[in-house]
Amino acid sequence: QVQLVESGGGLVQAGDSLRLSCVASGRTFSTYAMGWFRQAPGKEREFVAAINWSTNIAYYYDSVKGRFTISRDNTKNLVYLQMNSLKPEDTAVYYCAFKTRQLRRSYYLRDEYDYWGQGTQVTVSS
């Protein structure tokens, strides 16, 4: 089993930056990819970014391209989400996700991921 713990959320103003972190523990030798999703109240959980663990290639949702950067520290089982130029519409609970198996369809899909963290709140005021 894999455990994920997110941190780094908070309350910021529009235009500010935050850096989220996610630590993975357990059977992390089977890592295929890790990603970030977010969920606003009353809305579906949506894809933000993902990174393939072997290739280090990153994938982003269109609305965050150029503003968010996902990265990893392989030796520490750690994934980051650097969020710049934050907007009020970025307000959500951000979840770290862990994928163990080969990609089936798309990094955008929640069903691709096997484990989830508890989430960290990001609030952006205008």
Side-chain angles (χ1 to χ4, degrees):
Q1 188 175 0
V2 175
Q3 296 82 42
L4 305 172
V5 179
E6 305 100 328
S7 62
L11 174 62
V12 298
Q13 294 182 331
D16 286 351
S17 298
L18 281 174
R19 190 192 196 194
L20 306 184
S21 299
C22 175
V23 179
S25 61
R27 298 181 181 271
T28 56
F29 61 86
S30 62
T31 307
Y32 179 84
M34 294 185 68
W36 291 93
F37 285 70
R38 64 188 182 186
Q39 187 169 22
K43 298 182 179 179
E44 295 291 322
R45 191 172 300 185
E46 65 179 13
F47 174 78
V48 177
I51 187 166
N52 185 285
W53 214 250
S54 63
T55 66
N56 204 34
I57 296 175
Y59 306 85
Y60 299 95
Y61 186 66
D62 286 345
S63 67
V64 307
K65 288 181 179 178
R67 298 190 299 123
F68 292 8
T69 302
I70 188 170
S71 61
R72 64 176 174 88
D73 186 335
N74 192 33
T75 63
K76 298 180 179 179
N77 298 316
L78 190 62
V79 65
Y80 303 98
L81 184 68
Q82 178 67 45
M83 304 185 294
N84 298 327
S85 301
L86 283 163
K87 305 175 181 179
E89 50 263 44
D90 295 318
T91 296
V93 177
Y94 283 70
Y95 296 90
C96 181
F98 186 99
K99 181 176 175 61
T100 62
R101 295 176 291 182
Q102 185 178 8
L103 185 70
R104 295 182 178 181
R105 295 180 61 190
S106 173
Y107 289 103
Y108 284 40
L109 302 177
R110 289 172 290 177
D111 289 346
E112 292 279 356
Y113 299 87
D114 304 290
Y115 300 96
W116 297 85
Q118 82 288 349
T120 184
Q121 177 70 49
V122 173
T123 302
V124 185
S125 63
S126 60

